[in-house]
Amino acid sequence: MIELFSANTPNGKKISIMLEEIDYNFKVTKIDINNGEQFKEDFKKISPLSKIPAIIDHKNNKTIFESGAILIYLAEQSGRFYNKDERLEINQWLMAQMSYVGPMLGQHHQFHHYNPGKSQFGEERYFKISKRIYDELDERLSKSKFLSGNNYTIADIGTFPWIARHEWHDIGLKNYKNLTRWYLEISERKAVKKGFSFMDKNEIPPKP
Ligand SMILES: N[C@@H](CCC(=O)N[C@@H](CS)C(=O)NCC(=O)O)C(=O)O
């Protein structure tokens, strides 16, 4: 049994979606990151940088933090969504999500969604970068069914919940034909719907 320490954020949703996709039994422990629960000593033993998501795999007696590392771990354990002969491609798109797509869209959320009017520079900078990310993903998906190739992988699972915040981005997902095609196809997966609503039963990926 896997214990998932999480909150209802894109990084959190990556792991609930993956756990649903591989059909693992899991229990969710909510970490209230708005009230400092991530800094508690017990949680820091699992996640030393005080961030969600983190997991304990009770069967293997392992604790894992960092969503990319968790996705790789679960993919290796289950033998799903991380084909050996596609790993070079998958790793590149997963690392791009971890180091670029997530952090930049996350900054866009901070300036554009949570704190509009506080910094014109911040708003403009991250709006521009986020738009560039939409352009780049759309271009990639004009040539490839999924991010790393023909198969749905942990690179898509890592990226999807970030694009699912498209209403906050105000970039107009529906104008990006290939990204929309990819987004809608993933939104329709049963496991994605279930993993997406892991903290709020009524939550569904918003339509473009
Ligand atoms: N690179 C990390 C980022 C995780 C992350 O930024 N988590 C946020 C919520 S989405 C968090 O726990 N923030 C609380 C804090 O930093 O104090 C990952 O992908 O796991």
Side-chain angles (χ1 to χ4, degrees), residues 100-118:
Y100 175 51
V101 176
M104 294 300 115
L105 292 179
Q107 291 305 311
H108 183 44
H109 295 173
Q110 286 303 320
F111 287 102
H112 183 80
H113 180 77
Y114 287 117
N115 296 288
K118 286 205 183 141

Side-chain angles (χ1 to χ4, degrees), residues 14-19 55 64 66-78 80-82 94 97-98 153-159:
K14 290 177 197 173
I15 309 305
S16 53
I17 289 174
M18 178 65 175
L19 286 163
I55 64 167
I64 306 142
E66 277 294 322
S67 60
I70 300 170
L71 287 173
I72 291 172
Y73 175 80
L74 293 172
E76 285 178 340
Q77 288 291 312
S78 63
R80 310 272 324 269
F81 310 115
Y82 195 42
L94 181 64
Q97 186 287 302
M98 293 297 298
T153 72
I154 52 174
D156 301 293
I157 295 174
T159 306

Side-chain angles (χ1 to χ4, degrees), residues 2-199:
I2 304 276
E3 196 168 355
L4 168 62
F5 297 83
S6 200
N8 199 8
T9 70
N11 286 322
K13 285 185 172 97
K14 290 177 197 173
I15 309 305
S16 53
I17 289 174
M18 178 65 175
L19 286 163
E20 293 294 349
E21 288 283 12
I22 61 179
D23 204 17
Y24 272 26
N25 239 342
F26 67 102
K27 169 186 159 202
V28 179
T29 298
K30 185 176 175 185
I31 303 294
D32 187 348
I33 57 174
N34 296 321
N35 279 314
E37 269 181 27
Q38 69 272 36
F39 299 111
K40 288 190 175 160
E41 283 311 312
D42 275 357
F43 182 62
K44 281 175 71 178
K45 287 184 192 141
I46 306 163
S47 184
L49 304 180
S50 297
K51 293 193 188 301
I52 65 91
I55 64 167
I56 302 179
D57 181 347
H58 288 287
K59 191 174 113 221
N60 293 337
N61 204 16
K62 296 256 184 261
T63 67
I64 306 142
F65 68 98
E66 277 294 322
S67 60
I70 300 170
L71 287 173
I72 291 172
Y73 175 80
L74 293 172
E76 285 178 340
Q77 288 291 312
S78 63
R80 310 272 324 269
F81 310 115
Y82 195 42
N83 288 344
K84 280 215 165 72
D85 53 359
E86 293 168 48
R87 279 193 188 171
L88 186 57
E89 282 297 316
I90 299 171
N91 287 344
Q92 290 171 72
W93 287 98
L94 181 64
M95 296 305 140
Q97 186 287 302
M98 293 297 298
S99 61
Y100 175 51
V101 176
M104 294 300 115
L105 292 179
Q107 291 305 311
H108 183 44
H109 295 173
Q110 286 303 320
F111 287 102
H112 183 80
H113 180 77
Y114 287 117
N115 296 288
K118 286 205 183 141
S119 164
Q120 190 185 345
F121 172 77
E123 283 183 52
E124 286 175 5
R125 173 176 164 80
Y126 291 105
F127 189 89
K128 199 167 151 203
I129 295 176
S130 299
K131 187 173 176 319
R132 176 174 156 182
I133 289 172
Y134 273 53
D135 287 333
E136 290 163 339
L137 293 181
D138 192 66
E139 192 184 341
R140 169 63 180 168
L141 292 163
S142 71
K143 301 179 192 123
S144 182
K145 185 160 191 256
F146 292 101
L147 287 173
S148 57
N150 275 332
N151 296 313
Y152 172 69
T153 72
I154 52 174
D156 301 293
I157 295 174
T159 306
F160 174 81
W162 284 100
I163 302 303
R165 280 268 158 99
H166 62 88
E167 291 173 325
W168 290 14
H169 302 157
D170 276 335
I171 292 171
L173 176 58
K174 65 174 179 309
N175 300 322
Y176 293 79
K177 194 175 96 208
N178 309 292
L179 188 57
T180 295
R181 186 254 313 143
W182 170 90
Y183 177 77
L184 286 175
E185 179 164 348
I186 297 175
S187 304
E188 284 308 315
R189 294 177 69 91
K190 209 169 141 208
V192 169
K193 287 186 183 158
K194 215 164 161 207
F196 200 84
S197 61
F198 80 126
M199 284 213 174

